[in-house]
Amino acid sequence: MLSLKNLVFSEDYYSWDFAACELKDIIFAVSVDTGFSITSDDTVMGHGSFRYVGKDFKSAFDSFALENRLYVSKGDSAWTVSKYSFTQTEKGLSFDVFDLSPLQIVEKLSLEINEVITFDSLPSSQLSLHFRNLSKDELLQSLARRFGSYEVRKEGRGYHIARKNEIKNLAAEDSRVKIIKNEDASFQVDIKNSGVIAALEEVMKVEEEKEYCLSLASDSRIVRTSFRARDFSDLLEKLCGQSGVEYLLQNNIYYFISASGPREDFIYGKREWKKYCLKYSKVNNLLNILTKTFPQADFIVMVEANGFLCKAEEKLQSQIEVFLKENDLEKKTYEISLKYAKAESLIKNLSALFEKAQISLSDNNRSLYFTGTAEEYEKFTAQVELMDKADICLSYDLLILQYDESLQNNWYSSFSTNRLSLGDRNSLGAQLGSVMNFNLNVISAFGLSFAANVQSSIEENSTKVYADTVLHGISGSPISFQNTSTYRYRDNNLDPETGKPVYSGVTREITSGIKLDICGWVNGEGLITSNVTASLSRQGSDTSALTGNPPPTTEKIVTTQVRGKSGQAIVLSGLTQSSASQENSRSPFLSKLPFVGKLFRKDKVIEEKSQMVIFLVPHTGGEVKKEEKLFDQKWAEKRIAALRELEVLYE
């Protein structure tokens, strides 16, 4: 049912919203709301819409009538809405019609001109007419021409609208109906420009002993037909099939009636009903495809039996049977276990190749459920095997060293006397004990000379190991390393009157240290592309209690992109930090003596400068294999011999 809704109404304000409602219902609702009498005659039919918000009701209703092809006859106390309008002036008669049948048009015109109008069978299609300033006779003649092959005749006190006998006139000029019965009981038919009724009458004259009854609603026209019929029944079937006529034989009487079935049988062939039951598919899902594939067939659904009835000719029925064998297939649910990929991410790629309804996700996200035929299952498993591959694993040997590059400036004068000892001889030695304990294989990556230098600087405390670990990840995924310290301070402001800090109760954080972000990708040739971003931040001295400002921080960032083979080292440098500090030392009592005390005091300004150097060695194929870190016996013996050669002592 269509809904009718009236939103708001008040004395000076109107608001209506009618969507696809009966026109009569809209008019009645508006009449009730406004309190003004508005009626509609029997010509007002159909649906319409009316949306209006405002105060000018009359203009709004005129727009509504114009949009829905209506005429409004306005009186002082009432309005009448109709599909036609008739006016009579000194210039003549004016008649306007929207979407009315010829029967309604003649009926309304007869009432308006107060004349009796009779008519033959009129067309059923709706018409729209607009006549201006015509006489009564001119109006009727114009109306008859709009109906088609009709003419108006003056009969007694009224008028008669009669159909022109075009068929008879045409038949008189060039028309024939020849039915010849041969000796073998066959018939030869030759018809040109004849009505069906005249042709059937001529056919029945050939068989004079047969009785018949013609009950046709209309007399259709046969332009041209010529054929040979094997017998009288074949003659009737072919002739009726062309003309949309069906015949029945009851009690030796032939009854001819109008029907569309014979015409359809003539076009599509002899059609019969046949029942089909589906085994696996649902009838509603499959029938949508059948109706589009075979539009010339008629289908009736049998939901309870999971089947349908089909009316079609024999050849088409065989095509439908083949279609059902190919599409009504058994479907099962299969479980596919995944080796590497996650089911959720795999479904996104497979949904473009298969229907989403066929694929479902398991609870553990490690397997899939597929519903389909055996052939579809084979195709599905082939696609899964193609996509379910292990991701390429990456690992990075990470070593971060902090080099001390400080320059110390000393300004002092002092006296000291010390006795020499035997241990004050100059000596130099290279030992690789600390370097050998690194997770990163420094010797194989950078050589023995570099390892010896690192060992020496570590022993002299000029180099510190900041990080020594292995980072693992997957090709294309980011890896992060962070070694930071977090400083928390209370946010405050200085009181302008007292100069003392006033705390706001808000705690803030400053993070300082080193952060390393790596994103590696392995291409088809096995080369590793590494995007590396390293940042080093340092926090200054805390001055928040004195100035109310947070401690200052400095930050250095290095970003690089390197491509190389597995095992090739990556070195990041340039992350330097510098600071200055003053150190005071003095001798007790003596440093306080006037003039002489300066000799027993020393002031030292220390400029601290350090550099962070990051060493990365990427590897493919998962974790760094133990074989890459451990050596066989022969390689161990060669290494020990090389280390002994480096142990040189200078005295």
Side-chain angles (χ1 to χ4, degrees):
M1 295 179 64
L2 297 172
S3 61
L4 178 98
K5 179 173 65 174
N6 184 4
L7 298 179
V8 180
F9 169 71
S10 63
E11 184 177 356
D12 298 323
Y13 182 82
Y14 304 95
S15 177
W16 292 290
D17 184 6
F18 302 100
C21 298
E22 290 280 354
L23 293 174
K24 290 186 176 181
D25 294 340
I26 297 175
I27 296 170
F28 176 74
V30 172
S31 177
V32 172
D33 288 346
T34 58
F36 192 80
S37 178
I38 306 176
T39 59
S40 57
D41 62 10
D42 58 339
T43 62
V44 177
M45 300 179 67
H47 299 82
S49 301
F50 184 29
R51 293 180 173 89
Y52 174 70
V53 177
K55 298 181 179 181
D56 191 0
F57 155 69
K58 295 183 179 180
S59 299
F61 194 81
D62 290 341
S63 300
F64 161 73
L66 181 62
E67 180 181 357
N68 292 278
R69 303 164 70 89
L70 299 173
Y71 295 99
V72 182
S73 177
K74 297 182 179 180
D76 296 335
S77 59
W79 292 354
T80 302
V81 182
S82 178
K83 281 281 188 177
Y84 78 95
S85 174
F86 180 84
T87 57
Q88 184 174 1
T89 61
E90 295 179 355
K91 295 181 179 180
L93 304 178
S94 297
F95 190 45
D96 297 289
V97 175
F98 272 132
D99 305 326
L100 290 182
S101 65
L103 182 62
Q104 291 176 304
I105 295 173
V106 173
E107 178 186 353
K108 298 302 178 183
L109 183 59
S110 176
L111 294 175
E112 294 293 344
I113 64 177
N114 196 21
E115 292 285 353
V116 176
I117 303 177
T118 59
F119 48 85
D120 291 344
S121 177
L122 297 176
S124 59
S125 59
Q126 293 183 339
L127 299 175
S128 296
L129 308 173
H130 302 283
F131 299 125
R132 291 288 182 274
N133 301 326
L134 300 177
S135 64
K136 188 183 300 184
D137 293 340
E138 291 174 342
L139 179 58
L140 290 173
Q141 291 292 345
S142 299
L143 185 62
R145 286 194 294 269
R146 287 298 305 272
F147 290 166
S149 301
Y150 290 86
E151 60 184 0
V152 179
R153 302 170 185 169
K154 180 68 174 177
E155 295 181 354
R157 297 182 179 181
Y159 295 88
H160 179 73
I161 300 177
R163 182 194 294 269
K164 294 181 180 179
N165 197 357
E166 295 180 352
I167 296 178
K168 292 183 179 179
N169 294 337
L170 185 60
E173 298 175 0
D174 187 13
S175 176
R176 64 176 177 270
V177 177
K178 293 183 179 180
I179 310 296
I180 302 174
K181 186 175 182 179
N182 302 320
E183 295 180 356
D184 57 353
S186 63
F187 292 86
Q188 188 67 37
V189 179
D190 185 12
I191 302 175
K192 182 178 180 181
N193 295 329
S194 173
V196 176
I197 296 176
L200 290 174
E201 289 177 348
E202 191 67 25
V203 168
M204 300 309 294
K205 288 180 181 179
V206 177
E207 299 288 339
E208 297 181 354
E209 72 279 3
K210 299 185 182 297
E211 300 179 357
Y212 65 94
C213 177
L214 294 174
S215 301
L216 303 180
S218 61
D219 188 13
S220 59
R221 181 184 178 189
I222 299 176
V223 178
R224 187 75 173 89
T225 182
S226 178
F227 60 89
R228 180 182 179 87
R230 60 178 178 272
D231 53 25
F232 186 71
S233 298
D234 187 31
L235 169 62
L236 292 181
E237 288 181 1
K238 291 181 179 179
L239 186 59
C240 293
Q242 300 178 47
S243 310
V245 177
E246 185 175 359
Y247 75 93
L248 299 174
L249 179 60
Q250 292 184 355
N251 300 324
N252 293 325
I253 300 177
Y254 286 88
Y255 295 90
F256 296 92
I257 59 176
S258 299
S260 59
R263 183 184 295 273
E264 294 177 355
D265 293 341
F266 180 78
I267 297 174
Y268 302 116
K270 188 65 176 179
R271 305 197 304 169
E272 296 180 355
W273 288 99
K274 190 174 182 180
K275 180 181 178 181
Y276 294 92
C277 293
L278 304 180
K279 295 181 179 180
Y280 309 107
S281 304
K282 292 184 179 180
V283 62
N284 291 330
N285 297 336
L286 198 59
L287 201 61
N288 294 331
I289 305 174
L290 280 170
T291 53
K292 295 180 180 179
T293 308
F294 305 100
Q296 61 271 36
D298 295 333
F299 298 94
I300 298 177
V301 181
M302 298 185 300
V303 180
E304 297 180 355
N306 193 32
F308 59 90
L309 296 174
C310 175
K311 184 179 181 182
E313 54 95 14
E314 185 177 356
K315 184 178 180 181
L316 190 61
Q317 295 280 14
S318 61
Q319 295 178 4
I320 294 175
E321 291 177 359
V322 174
F323 177 85
L324 293 178
K325 290 180 180 179
E326 295 177 352
N327 293 275
D328 186 25
L329 303 176
E330 183 179 6
K331 296 183 179 180
K332 296 182 180 179
T333 300
Y334 305 88
E335 182 179 4
I336 300 97
S337 298
L338 303 179
K339 296 180 180 179
Y340 308 103
K342 289 184 178 180
E344 186 176 357
S345 60
L346 198 64
I347 286 179
K348 296 179 181 178
N349 298 325
L350 291 173
S351 59
L353 304 175
F354 300 89
E355 295 182 4
K356 293 182 179 179
Q358 293 181 283
I359 310 171
S360 58
L361 181 66
S362 64
D363 295 335
N364 57 7
N365 202 23
R366 297 302 305 166
S367 59
L368 293 173
Y369 295 105
F370 177 78
T371 302
T373 62
E375 295 180 356
E376 292 175 339
Y377 172 68
E378 292 180 1
K379 295 180 181 179
F380 184 78
T381 52
Q383 292 295 329
V384 171
E385 291 178 0
L386 185 64
M387 299 180 181
D388 186 22
K389 293 183 178 180
D391 294 328
I392 300 177
C393 296
L394 284 175
S395 62
Y396 289 87
D397 288 341
L398 173 64
L399 177 64
I400 302 177
L401 300 179
Q402 182 177 3
Y403 290 95
D404 188 5
E405 301 176 357
S406 301
L407 298 176
Q408 299 183 1
N409 298 323
N410 301 329
W411 293 277
Y412 65 93
S413 60
S414 63
F415 294 109
S416 64
T417 57
N418 295 313
R419 182 176 293 178
L420 294 174
S421 62
L422 294 176
D424 290 340
R425 294 177 297 174
N426 294 329
S427 63
L428 176 64
Q431 298 178 354
L432 301 181
S434 299
V435 175
M436 291 292 293
N437 293 327
F438 284 171
N439 184 76
L440 175 62
N441 191 348
V442 176
I443 297 176
S444 62
F446 301 101
L448 293 175
S449 177
F450 175 80
N453 291 331
V454 172
Q455 178 68 37
S456 176
S457 60
I458 291 176
E459 292 179 351
E460 294 176 358
N461 293 327
S462 61
T463 298
K464 295 181 181 179
V465 179
Y466 205 81
D468 179 26
T469 184
V470 179
L471 305 178
H472 301 283
I474 298 175
S475 176
S477 299
I479 307 172
S480 298
F481 172 81
Q482 181 173 341
N483 189 351
T484 58
S485 300
T486 302
Y487 169 80
R488 295 179 177 85
Y489 66 95
R490 289 184 295 176
D491 194 6
N492 56 42
N493 297 314
L494 294 179
D495 191 345
E497 296 180 357
T498 61
K500 296 181 180 181
V502 179
Y503 297 104
S504 62
V506 179
T507 302
R508 301 185 183 275
E509 294 181 353
I510 295 178
T511 302
S512 60
I514 188 168
K515 295 181 180 179
L516 185 66
D517 295 321
I518 308 170
C519 185
W521 178 72
V522 182
N523 63 12
E525 297 179 355
L527 298 178
I528 303 174
T529 302
S530 300
N531 295 322
V532 185
T533 300
S535 62
L536 178 64
S537 58
R538 183 172 182 177
Q539 174 190 326
S541 59
D542 185 7
T543 59
S544 59
L546 300 176
T547 62
N549 297 322
T553 57
T554 59
E555 186 175 18
K556 301 292 180 66
I557 299 177
V558 175
T559 301
T560 185
Q561 185 180 68
V562 182
R563 176 177 295 171
K565 296 181 180 180
S566 176
Q568 289 185 350
I570 302 171
V571 181
L572 295 180
S573 60
L575 299 172
T576 59
Q577 296 284 353
S578 60
S579 62
S581 61
Q582 185 173 355
E583 181 180 325
N584 298 324
S585 62
R586 60 189 65 195
S587 300
F589 302 109
L590 297 177
S591 62
K592 296 182 180 181
L593 295 176
F595 302 106
V596 184
K598 295 180 179 181
L599 299 175
F600 299 94
R601 294 195 306 265
K602 63 178 180 180
D603 298 328
K604 183 168 60 175
V605 177
I606 300 175
E607 293 184 357
E608 297 179 356
K609 185 177 182 181
S610 62
Q611 180 179 186
M612 287 284 187
V613 182
I614 301 173
F615 302 93
L616 283 173
V617 180
H619 300 273
T620 59
E623 298 183 9
V624 179
K625 297 181 180 180
K626 293 183 179 180
E627 291 79 3
E628 296 179 1
K629 292 187 176 181
L630 301 179
F631 301 87
D632 57 17
Q633 186 66 27
K634 293 182 179 180
W635 175 247
E637 292 176 357
K638 292 181 181 180
R639 174 188 281 188
I640 293 173
L643 293 177
R644 286 176 178 175
E645 293 178 0
L646 288 174
E647 293 181 354
V648 181
L649 181 62
Y650 297 93
E651 296 184 0

Short mmCIF file of all heavy atoms in Angstrom, two decimals, residues 333 347 351 354-361 369-372:
data_model
loop_
_atom_site.label_atom_id
_atom_site.label_comp_id
_atom_site.label_asym_id
_atom_site.label_seq_id
_atom_site.Cartn_x
_atom_site.Cartn_y
_atom_site.Cartn_z
N THR A 333 31.70 -28.47 1.17
CA THR A 333 32.53 -27.54 1.93
C THR A 333 33.86 -28.22 2.25
O THR A 333 33.87 -29.32 2.82
CB THR A 333 31.82 -27.10 3.23
OG1 THR A 333 30.59 -26.47 2.89
CG2 THR A 333 32.69 -26.13 4.00
N ILE A 347 42.20 -13.96 2.10
CA ILE A 347 40.84 -13.83 1.58
C ILE A 347 40.70 -12.57 0.72
O ILE A 347 39.99 -12.55 -0.29
CB ILE A 347 39.82 -13.82 2.74
CG1 ILE A 347 39.67 -15.24 3.29
CG2 ILE A 347 38.46 -13.30 2.28
CD1 ILE A 347 38.72 -15.34 4.46
N SER A 351 39.18 -13.12 -2.98
CA SER A 351 37.81 -12.67 -3.23
C SER A 351 37.63 -12.07 -4.62
O SER A 351 36.52 -12.02 -5.13
CB SER A 351 37.39 -11.65 -2.17
OG SER A 351 38.26 -10.53 -2.20
N PHE A 354 37.10 -15.49 -6.75
CA PHE A 354 35.96 -16.32 -6.40
C PHE A 354 34.92 -15.47 -5.67
O PHE A 354 35.23 -14.36 -5.21
CB PHE A 354 36.40 -17.49 -5.51
CG PHE A 354 37.42 -18.40 -6.14
CD1 PHE A 354 38.77 -18.15 -6.02
CD2 PHE A 354 37.01 -19.50 -6.87
CE1 PHE A 354 39.71 -18.98 -6.60
CE2 PHE A 354 37.93 -20.34 -7.46
CZ PHE A 354 39.29 -20.08 -7.34
N GLU A 355 33.71 -15.99 -5.59
CA GLU A 355 32.66 -15.27 -4.89
C GLU A 355 32.93 -15.27 -3.38
O GLU A 355 33.41 -16.26 -2.82
CB GLU A 355 31.30 -15.91 -5.18
CG GLU A 355 30.88 -15.81 -6.63
CD GLU A 355 29.51 -16.42 -6.86
OE1 GLU A 355 28.89 -16.83 -5.86
OE2 GLU A 355 29.06 -16.46 -8.02
N LYS A 356 32.61 -14.15 -2.74
CA LYS A 356 32.86 -14.03 -1.31
C LYS A 356 32.04 -15.04 -0.51
O LYS A 356 32.47 -15.48 0.55
CB LYS A 356 32.54 -12.60 -0.85
CG LYS A 356 33.48 -11.56 -1.41
CD LYS A 356 33.15 -10.18 -0.87
CE LYS A 356 34.11 -9.13 -1.42
NZ LYS A 356 33.80 -7.77 -0.91
N ALA A 357 30.84 -15.37 -1.02
CA ALA A 357 30.00 -16.31 -0.28
C ALA A 357 30.60 -17.71 -0.24
O ALA A 357 30.23 -18.52 0.62
CB ALA A 357 28.61 -16.36 -0.89
N GLN A 358 31.54 -18.02 -1.14
CA GLN A 358 32.13 -19.35 -1.17
C GLN A 358 33.26 -19.51 -0.17
O GLN A 358 33.65 -20.63 0.14
CB GLN A 358 32.66 -19.65 -2.58
CG GLN A 358 31.57 -19.77 -3.65
CD GLN A 358 32.17 -20.09 -5.00
OE1 GLN A 358 32.72 -19.24 -5.67
NE2 GLN A 358 32.07 -21.35 -5.39
N ILE A 359 33.82 -18.41 0.33
CA ILE A 359 35.00 -18.46 1.19
C ILE A 359 34.62 -17.96 2.58
O ILE A 359 33.97 -16.93 2.72
CB ILE A 359 36.14 -17.61 0.61
CG1 ILE A 359 36.38 -17.95 -0.86
CG2 ILE A 359 37.42 -17.82 1.40
CD1 ILE A 359 37.33 -17.02 -1.56
N SER A 360 35.02 -18.71 3.60
CA SER A 360 34.80 -18.29 4.98
C SER A 360 36.07 -18.52 5.78
O SER A 360 36.94 -19.31 5.41
CB SER A 360 33.62 -19.05 5.61
OG SER A 360 33.85 -20.44 5.55
N LEU A 361 36.15 -17.84 6.91
CA LEU A 361 37.35 -17.82 7.74
C LEU A 361 37.15 -18.72 8.95
O LEU A 361 36.08 -18.74 9.56
CB LEU A 361 37.66 -16.39 8.18
CG LEU A 361 38.89 -16.15 9.03
CD1 LEU A 361 40.14 -16.45 8.24
CD2 LEU A 361 38.91 -14.70 9.52
N TYR A 369 37.63 -22.16 4.74
CA TYR A 369 36.56 -23.07 4.32
C TYR A 369 36.05 -22.60 2.96
O TYR A 369 35.72 -21.43 2.77
CB TYR A 369 35.42 -23.07 5.34
CG TYR A 369 35.80 -23.63 6.68
CD1 TYR A 369 36.01 -22.78 7.76
CD2 TYR A 369 35.97 -24.99 6.88
CE1 TYR A 369 36.37 -23.28 9.00
CE2 TYR A 369 36.32 -25.50 8.12
CZ TYR A 369 36.53 -24.64 9.18
OH TYR A 369 36.89 -25.14 10.38
N PHE A 370 36.01 -23.54 2.02
CA PHE A 370 35.56 -23.22 0.66
C PHE A 370 34.38 -24.10 0.30
O PHE A 370 34.40 -25.32 0.51
CB PHE A 370 36.70 -23.46 -0.34
CG PHE A 370 36.29 -23.22 -1.77
CD1 PHE A 370 36.18 -21.93 -2.26
CD2 PHE A 370 36.00 -24.28 -2.61
CE1 PHE A 370 35.80 -21.70 -3.57
CE2 PHE A 370 35.62 -24.06 -3.92
CZ PHE A 370 35.51 -22.77 -4.40
N THR A 371 33.33 -23.48 -0.22
CA THR A 371 32.12 -24.19 -0.63
C THR A 371 31.97 -24.08 -2.14
O THR A 371 31.88 -22.97 -2.69
CB THR A 371 30.87 -23.61 0.05
OG1 THR A 371 31.04 -23.68 1.47
CG2 THR A 371 29.63 -24.38 -0.34
N GLY A 372 31.94 -25.22 -2.83
CA GLY A 372 31.80 -25.21 -4.28
C GLY A 372 31.91 -26.61 -4.83
O GLY A 372 31.93 -27.61 -4.10
#
